[in-house]
Amino acid sequence: MANSYQGQVVLPSASRLIFSLRDMGYEFAEAVADLIDNSIEASATRVEINVEFDGKHSWVRIVDNGNGMTEEQLLEAMRYGSERDYKKSDLGKFGLGLKTASLSQCQKLSVASRSKRNPKTIDGYCWDLAHIAKVNRWEVIPLDGRESGPSIFETLEKTTGTAVLWQRLDKILAFKDPYSETARKKLGAMCRELEQHLAMVFHRFLAGEVPDKHLEIILNGNKLKPWDPFARTEKQTRQLETQYFRVDLGKITETVKMVPYILPAKNQFSSTEAFNAASGPANWNQQQGFYIYRADRLIQSGGWSRLRTADEHTKLARIALSFSPVI
């Protein structure tokens, strides 16, 4: 007769682990982009981002008009390692993005959602690191819409969707005086970097190039324009032959699409402004190389992936590599 053995459940310390998970290497713009991934998966056509400087009371709010979540779905989404059925085209896979991205930037994460399944109700919950440190339990706090500070419930009164609020931005405004002019300027610079990053990462969605997934992103009242790495509107841009490569991963076979481009020299651009815009957030030499897309979302912008070094002679070469999230 086989020996029966019943394992002992050992839960990780909530206060130790949740604080450790904050140091996963997210930059501000990358963390916001991870939340927009969720909005795309929820069929949102509009994402509105507001960043407000108010010293230690500064906040960031991301609101979409997607399908929203029921209370049950929202609670599951707030769980570390949340479980749900992922579609082939989904950008997420591990159930961590919302929490790890958000809490890498702030100490208080609030999420409210209004679902198409139950549009009469807006549900909300909050991860508060001060509360977790006090009780040492994996405990989210229910919200009722009467909390102090910026509202997330009001943003969903006329639409379904999900609203995310970051407060106590200790990783963003790590200054002795959070009300200082230095802190204000830093947050302003981070907003400009965020605009460039989102315009690049989601340029296919912003340009309407992804079937059934056109997206509009509004940052502090300004509608973002897509940044095309390949300057395809320029007459002198050369698109070389498209190639396809089959990739076998066990029982899965997928195809990688490669489209090389040679951008025009400076004197061949339609204008100096167009040339400067095409240089990209990291400028010409650092923007050469591979642009890798997963489900049309840019996950690498430039660089030769250790195949060669970047130099002046190849700064006009940019190559689009597109593959399925399955790979």
Side-chain angles (χ1 to χ4, degrees):
M1 184 174 180
N3 292 330
S4 61
Y5 175 78
Q6 185 174 352
Q8 190 73 25
V9 175
V10 181
L11 293 176
S13 166
S15 60
R16 290 293 298 274
L17 184 55
I18 203 167
F19 277 91
S20 297
L21 289 172
R22 302 190 72 200
D23 299 319
M24 293 188 70
Y26 276 100
E27 298 292 339
F28 174 60
E30 294 169 347
V32 174
D34 259 27
L35 268 61
I36 296 178
D37 290 345
N38 294 338
S39 298
I40 292 172
E41 291 173 9
S43 302
T45 59
R46 178 184 173 93
V47 176
E48 187 162 356
I49 305 164
N50 290 96
V51 181
E52 182 71 21
F53 179 79
D54 187 15
K56 66 179 182 179
H57 299 295
S58 299
W59 50 267
V60 178
R61 185 175 63 200
I62 302 104
V63 184
D64 70 44
N65 66 345
N67 295 329
M69 294 176 280
T70 63
E71 183 177 18
E72 180 182 6
Q73 290 171 325
L74 176 56
L75 277 170
E76 185 60 35
M78 297 293 279
R79 181 201 304 270
Y80 277 78
S82 57
E83 295 183 359
R84 68 176 176 85
D85 294 329
Y86 287 98
K87 296 178 292 185
K88 182 178 179 180
S89 61
D90 284 351
L91 294 165
K93 294 295 180 190
F94 306 108
L96 290 171
L98 168 64
K99 288 76 63 176
T100 55
S102 298
L103 292 174
S104 72
Q105 306 298 309
C106 69
Q107 292 191 17
K108 185 177 180 181
L109 161 66
S110 301
V111 185
S113 198
R114 183 183 184 189
S115 169
K116 287 186 176 180
R117 294 186 186 178
N118 187 15
K120 294 182 180 180
T121 303
I122 302 176
D123 298 296
Y125 286 91
C126 167
W127 279 113
D128 189 327
L129 296 188
H131 177 74
I132 299 300
K134 180 179 179 181
V135 302
N136 195 23
R137 291 196 300 270
W138 297 96
E139 188 173 276
V140 291
I141 301 169
L143 304 175
D144 61 11
R146 296 194 294 268
E147 292 74 25
S148 60
S151 173
I152 51 175
F153 279 71
E154 288 180 4
T155 62
L156 300 173
E157 287 181 350
K158 297 181 180 180
T159 182
T160 61
T162 299
V164 176
L165 178 66
W166 297 348
Q167 293 173 284
R168 304 208 302 271
L169 310 177
D170 63 322
K171 292 295 186 77
I172 297 175
L173 298 175
F175 295 95
K176 290 183 179 179
D177 180 7
Y179 293 92
S180 67
E181 187 62 23
T182 301
R184 180 190 296 275
K185 288 181 178 178
K186 179 184 178 182
L187 193 58
M190 292 175 76
C191 285
R192 291 189 291 273
E193 292 171 5
L194 176 62
E195 180 177 357
Q196 290 181 323
H197 185 74
L198 298 181
M200 176 176 63
V201 167
F202 298 105
H203 76 89
R204 288 184 174 179
F205 296 91
L206 295 171
E209 296 178 20
V210 183
D212 302 320
K213 286 192 176 182
H214 180 68
L215 183 67
E216 183 178 67
I217 301 176
I218 311 296
L219 174 58
N220 289 337
N222 299 313
K223 182 178 177 179
L224 301 193
K225 296 179 180 179
W227 180 74
D228 178 9
F230 314 110
R232 287 170 293 175
T233 58
E234 290 294 317
K235 293 181 179 180
Q236 298 300 320
T237 293
R238 293 168 54 203
Q239 178 179 329
L240 306 183
E241 180 183 358
T242 300
Q243 298 184 52
Y244 297 89
F245 303 92
R246 196 176 83 166
V247 178
D248 293 315
L249 300 170
K251 296 181 180 180
I252 300 172
T253 299
E254 292 291 330
T255 300
V256 175
K257 179 182 179 182
M258 184 179 80
V259 186
Y261 295 88
I262 305 297
L263 274 63
K266 183 175 182 179
N267 61 359
Q268 294 177 313
F269 264 85
S270 58
S271 67
T272 302
E273 292 76 15
F275 171 80
N276 291 335
S279 69
N283 295 319
W284 281 103
N285 271 356
Q286 299 305 314
Q287 296 284 182
Q288 64 183 278
F290 295 117
Y291 286 74
I292 302 176
Y293 297 83
R294 178 172 177 266
D296 292 301
R297 192 255 209 225
L298 188 62
I299 61 171
Q300 177 176 312
S301 55
W304 293 106
S305 300
R306 292 187 287 185
L307 295 178
R308 59 162 298 140
T309 58
D311 63 51
E312 183 71 15
H313 298 92
T314 55
K315 71 176 184 180
L316 301 179
R318 296 179 184 177
I319 302 170
L321 289 171
S322 303
F323 63 91
S324 159
V326 173
I327 299 179

